[in-house]
Amino acid sequence: MHSSQDTIYAQATDVIADFAFDSKVAGVFNDMIRRSVPGYAQIINTLGDLAERFVTPNSHVYDLGCSLGSATLSIRRHIEGRKATIIAVDNSESMLARCRENLHAYRSDIQVDLVCADIRDIQFNNASMVILNFTLQFLPPEDRDALIAAIYAGMQPGGILVISEKLCFDDEVIQQLLDERHLDFKRANGYSELEISQKRSALENVMKPDTMEKHQARLAATGFKHFSPWFQCFNFTSMVAIK
Ligand code: GEK
């Protein structure tokens, strides 16, 4: 996928607006997420492997907050011939327009429905796999339990929910330790101190991470039978929950 370099926060700005998934972000998103999220490429690849293992014939796969379609593309490659439908949802028109182009660049017999909507308004049914790849953290915390409950209700027994997130930690020493490692990761990927601090301010009101314990408790309370993080690098994780 072609992507321009992310220089959105490279110039000093007096007032930093809340982060939004607008056309400027959509244009550099591939570069931004790879340079900001440790393990992103591995997580995308593993979503494909999990799809191969879990997606059942004639079922639905939901990719919630699909952005440019990286997860959908990885999954689609692994489930050819199964007559499953992928429902890829995002409420950013700019993201979906680019996602559509990316999907059309490859041939596939798998139907993908691209839906411009808020993920809180989706009716889930017949789902063998649901993906929240770095999306739940952007939902207001008070809306998260209801979304997970709606997803659970629409899943097949044995279906898998994959949630990838930035984490926060109750232990302040660990919080600081892993946060520093993440900042070093961004520095090593060419972001300046100014870019890092301006992006941080922009995200402050928009992205609210949970602790791992909070995720686990929510999933257990909803009824998921099995839970495990399968990936963690610094303060980023990917977790699986099986109904
Ligand atoms: C990937 N999953 O590349 N309803 C619908 N979409 C939403 C909502 C909402 N309420 N809130 C945020 N989004 C992708 C990466 S990015 C993560 C996901 C990040 C969308 C938003 O428009 C954006 O495209 C996506 O969720 C979050 O695997 O930028 O760190």
Side-chain angles (χ1 to χ4, degrees):
M1 267 181 238
H2 168 75
S3 180
S4 312
Q5 193 182 342
D6 169 23
T7 56
I8 290 178
Y9 294 101
Q11 304 301 324
T13 324
D14 290 340
V15 181
I16 298 166
D18 279 353
F19 187 82
F21 293 99
D22 53 17
S23 58
K24 220 161 61 170
V25 168
V28 300
F29 187 73
N30 252 323
D31 180 64
M32 174 185 281
I33 199 154
R34 280 174 173 73
R35 287 164 69 209
S36 307
V37 175
Y40 178 76
Q42 190 190 341
I43 292 170
I44 291 294
N45 286 337
T46 303
L47 287 174
D49 296 337
L50 291 170
E52 194 164 329
R53 162 80 171 68
F54 280 91
V55 175
T56 54
N58 303 305
S59 67
H60 294 157
V61 177
Y62 293 87
D63 179 8
L64 305 176
C66 61
S67 299
L68 304 187
S70 297
T72 285
L73 278 167
S74 174
I75 290 164
R76 192 173 71 167
R77 268 200 304 277
H78 283 80
I79 60 171
E80 294 287 334
R82 286 191 206 177
K83 294 198 172 5
T85 300
I86 304 177
I87 298 130
V89 185
D90 207 291
N91 63 357
S92 160
E93 291 275 7
S94 309
M95 287 289 193
L96 278 188
R98 286 173 180 271
C99 181
R100 187 168 293 113
E101 281 177 25
N102 291 336
L103 292 173
H104 284 159
Y106 303 90
R107 278 162 56 99
S108 170
D109 69 0
I110 294 291
Q111 182 182 331
V112 179
D113 295 343
L114 281 184
V115 181
C116 190
D118 193 299
I119 56 174
R120 289 166 289 189
D121 297 332
I122 299 295
Q123 283 280 342
F124 301 96
N125 65 79
N126 192 26
S128 56
M129 183 172 197
V130 181
I131 313 300
L132 278 163
N133 206 38
F134 302 105
T135 302
L136 190 63
Q137 60 200 12
F138 290 103
L139 220 58
E142 63 273 18
D143 292 348
R144 295 178 189 176
D145 289 3
L147 175 71
I148 298 299
I151 290 171
Y152 180 84
M155 282 174 69
Q156 299 176 346
I160 189 166
L161 168 63
V162 188
I163 306 182
S164 310
E165 290 270 289
K166 187 174 189 180
L167 291 173
C168 66
F169 301 84
D170 290 329
D171 182 326
E172 279 175 24
V173 173
I174 299 296
Q175 174 67 45
Q176 200 184 337
L177 178 70
L178 298 186
D179 196 39
E180 281 167 2
R181 302 287 69 72
H182 177 228
L183 294 185
D184 280 348
F185 172 85
K186 293 188 71 160
R187 290 179 185 118
N189 284 333
Y191 282 117
S192 67
E193 299 306 317
L194 179 69
E195 285 177 293
I196 291 172
S197 80
Q198 294 198 129
K199 171 94 179 279
R200 181 156 280 216
S201 305
L203 280 172
E204 215 157 48
N205 296 320
V206 183
M207 195 185 100
K208 310 250 185 223
D210 283 326
T211 61
M212 176 76 78
E213 293 76 15
K214 174 82 191 169
H215 285 294
Q216 179 161 16
R218 180 186 292 124
L219 292 162
T222 308
F224 282 95
K225 278 206 189 100
H226 308 280
F227 167 85
S228 182
W230 68 268
F231 173 91
Q232 186 175 335
C233 182
F234 313 138
N235 44 358
F236 287 80
T237 188
S238 185
M239 304 162 278
V240 290
I242 299 170
K243 181 165 174 175

